[in-house]
Amino acid sequence: RDNLYMPSMISSYHRSKPACRPPVKEVRIVCPIFATGWEFTIKPANGNEFVMVGDIFDSVYAYLRQPLPSGTFEQLSPMGQRLMENAFDYRCHHHAVALPALERKQGFRRVDYLGDITVWWGIFQSETPEDRACEVFTCTLKLVEKRYAERI
């Protein structure tokens, strides 16, 4: 799973549970790590009426696998660019879904932007008044550096 360490021991039973209480038909995810304010919306998959736990994990994974928007790398500081290049090299060498050379040729993905902030910390409610009115649940995705997570 690239270089993002997400919980891997989630049973199909738990993946099939509603992601929120009460169940909602849409979850908006925001992540403050991304300077450009990346956010995305998750809708029920597989014919479900509500967003399930599995939908959250699958959607975050798919979102981070997308190519990095053009111009993002150039906006980073030299240190940020180095961290991103290191994450990219590591992903291509250790976690390539395709052949490493092919993965490298496809370029940066959003997950590379994380650098060494690659441990899933959780999703926390950040409800706004408009969310209640339209059954959208806004959450903040939190990630931490692996070295800090190992201490916990």
Side-chain angles (χ1 to χ4, degrees):
R1 288 201 177 208
D2 294 344
N3 53 341
L4 177 67
Y5 298 96
M6 292 174 49
S8 59
M9 303 303 282
I10 298 174
S11 69
S12 58
Y13 172 79
H14 288 101
R15 288 179 56 84
S16 66
K17 292 291 188 185
C20 306
R21 281 192 204 163
V24 294
K25 296 180 181 192
E26 193 171 301
V27 174
R28 183 180 310 120
I29 301 288
V30 296
C31 188
I33 291 171
F34 302 116
T36 56
W38 292 352
E39 68 176 61
F40 58 101
T41 301
I42 300 169
K43 297 193 178 196
N46 305 319
N48 292 319
E49 185 178 355
F50 302 108
V51 176
M52 303 297 176
V53 170
D55 298 335
I56 300 283
F57 288 111
D58 295 344
S59 296
V60 169
Y61 177 76
Y63 183 81
L64 292 174
R65 288 282 307 150
Q66 293 176 11
L68 190 72
S70 63
T72 305
F73 180 80
E74 294 76 18
Q75 293 174 1
L76 293 172
S77 67
M79 171 72 97
Q81 289 180 355
R82 250 187 328 279
L83 285 170
M84 191 167 157
E85 287 169 340
N86 290 343
F88 174 71
D89 290 340
Y90 185 84
R91 178 177 60 81
C92 289
H93 184 70
H94 295 287
H95 298 283
V97 174
L99 298 171
L102 178 61
E103 191 71 27
R104 185 171 295 285
K105 185 177 179 183
Q106 292 175 353
F108 290 118
R109 297 188 185 277
R110 286 181 166 145
V111 71
D112 300 320
Y113 186 92
L114 299 175
D116 58 356
I117 302 172
T118 59
V119 175
W120 180 275
W121 191 255
I123 293 181
F124 303 90
Q125 181 180 359
S126 50
E127 188 176 337
T128 62
E130 58 270 10
D131 289 346
R132 286 189 294 276
C134 64
E135 294 186 333
V136 175
F137 198 77
T138 301
C139 298
T140 301
L141 171 65
K142 303 230 178 177
L143 303 167
V144 297
E145 291 181 39
K146 187 176 182 189
R147 62 187 169 142
Y148 292 122
E150 291 170 347
R151 295 179 191 166
I152 297 171

